[in-house]
Amino acid sequence: MTDDALTRALAAASEAAQDSRQLELVQAVLTAQAISQAMQPQTCQHDHHQQARPFDARKWVTIGGLAAVGGCVACALALAFAMATIAVAIAACAGTGALLILRTLWRDVAKNR
């Protein structure tokens, strides 16, 4: 019985040694794969060769035209505001002068009574 137990123990030890070697071999292969992946250059995920859109002259002429028209409208509004302001200033000066003249006339008329 001891020979049989000894034989089984030797067989189990031999199998364990083989399993140990297989595990070491698997570990070596996995390590080699990890090293080879680490050494590979990283590539980016986006496409560098996107097709360039053709130049659309009509779009840029439209944008430029709208900008020019908008500038002209803004200039015209600013000019109209300036003219209105000048008109108000002239009216204020004329009104003040008229009031001063009327006040002086009123005093002269009041003294002569």
Side-chain angles (χ1 to χ4, degrees):
M1 227 165 152
T2 53
D3 277 338
D4 190 33
L6 185 59
T7 306
R8 277 189 273 163
L10 286 174
S14 175
E15 187 179 339
Q18 283 182 342
D19 288 345
S20 177
R21 284 189 211 123
Q22 286 177 351
L23 288 176
E24 287 176 2
L25 184 62
V26 168
Q27 185 179 9
V29 168
L30 291 176
T31 304
Q33 284 179 346
I35 291 172
S36 68
Q37 285 178 354
M39 292 178 70
Q40 289 179 353
Q42 296 293 329
T43 58
C44 55
Q45 300 298 322
H46 61 278
D47 185 19
H48 286 280
H49 303 290
Q50 294 177 348
Q51 289 183 343
R53 293 185 197 142
F55 181 73
D56 188 10
R58 183 180 300 154
K59 175 179 116 177
W60 291 107
V61 168
T62 303
I63 290 171
L66 289 175
V69 168
C72 289
V73 168
C75 183
L77 289 175
L79 185 61
F81 180 73
M83 296 298 270
T85 304
I86 290 171
V88 168
I90 290 172
C93 289
T96 302
L99 287 176
L100 288 174
I101 292 170
L102 286 174
R103 187 181 81 176
T104 304
L105 286 174
W106 183 260
R107 282 185 183 171
D108 286 346
V109 170
K111 282 183 183 179
N112 286 340
R113 275 197 193 172

